[in-house]
Amino acid sequence: MKTLEKIDVISLAKIQALIGFILGFLFAILNFMVEKFTTLPKEMSIEPLGASLIIISPIIGLFYGFIGGLVIAFFYNTLSKFVGGIKLELKEKYK
């Protein structure tokens, strides 16, 4: 049994940023499809943003994913000193 005692802050932030980018892009595509194939009242529509949402959403997801990764890794590293890390059972892979 191995214990994950510390997470590299920048590496987790980069992974979280990539996940945020992908989710932001998927959100934009889904939203674009809903706008095109349904009739929403004008109050609910984000039509003025149009195609720029496909650019804006992934960038926002990238930014907040990176910040979130930094925060999560910082808190994990801080708290794992007091309560111990996550216990992992790892298997050796033989070639």
Side-chain angles (χ1 to χ4, degrees):
M1 192 71 72
K2 304 276 184 179
T3 302
L4 179 61
E5 294 178 357
K6 186 177 179 184
I7 298 174
D8 181 52
V9 177
I10 296 299
S11 66
L12 181 64
K14 289 190 290 188
I15 292 294
Q16 288 284 107
L18 184 58
I19 291 170
F21 181 85
I22 292 168
L23 291 177
F25 184 73
L26 292 175
F27 166 77
I29 295 297
L30 179 65
N31 196 26
F32 184 75
M33 289 171 51
V34 167
E35 286 282 328
K36 291 300 174 192
F37 299 119
T38 62
T39 54
L40 293 173
K42 284 191 175 188
E43 300 86 36
M44 295 177 64
S45 177
I46 59 168
E47 186 70 33
L49 290 176
S52 64
L53 187 66
I54 294 176
I55 297 170
I56 294 170
S57 290
I59 292 173
I60 291 172
L62 183 82
F63 176 74
Y64 283 112
F66 188 83
I67 298 300
L70 290 175
V71 170
I72 289 169
F74 172 76
F75 279 119
Y76 181 85
N77 291 339
T78 303
L79 295 174
S80 68
K81 293 175 188 173
F82 300 108
V83 297
I86 296 173
K87 303 230 182 282
L88 302 170
E89 186 172 329
L90 303 174
K91 188 182 220 183
E92 291 278 336
K93 185 175 180 180
Y94 297 102
K95 293 183 179 181

